[in-house]
Amino acid sequence: MAEHRITELLTLLRPYWQQYPDLNLSSVLAQLASEAGFQGSLAEVSDDMLIYQLKMRQEKPEAMIPGLAKDCEPDFKTALLKARGIIK
């Protein structure tokens, strides 16, 4: 895992862990994996899944993924023109 990913994960993990101060790190990670619906071993939990779960856990289920929201266009015509490079 790259250093910037570790920093991002720790930044997101801090407020979550402060809600459950009686849990150790592995318990916190297991709880996050369970919230995300992960059924495998804790060793198989990816950093991407943890970061996504920490970012999206307070959002509504129908909320758009933050990385995709920036590219979303209000109408199809605008999206098509941007994709073809006609407008910026």
Side-chain angles (χ1 to χ4, degrees), residues 18-85:
Q18 287 174 343
Q19 292 177 355
Y20 306 99
D22 55 321
L23 298 178
N24 60 33
L25 179 59
S26 60
S27 298
V28 169
L29 296 177
Q31 186 170 331
L32 278 169
S34 176
E35 285 179 11
F38 186 78
Q39 298 296 323
S41 163
L42 190 57
E44 297 171 359
V45 174
S46 70
D47 56 328
D48 291 326
M49 194 265 325
L50 292 170
I51 290 169
Y52 178 79
Q53 179 63 20
L54 287 164
K55 283 183 177 180
M56 297 299 292
R57 66 183 298 272
Q58 300 297 332
E59 299 293 328
K60 295 180 181 177
E62 63 274 357
M64 188 171 290
I65 298 170
L68 297 178
K70 66 177 178 56
D71 296 326
C72 187
E73 293 296 332
D75 65 288
F76 180 75
K77 182 178 178 183
T78 305
L80 187 61
L81 292 173
K82 280 188 175 185
R84 291 186 176 171

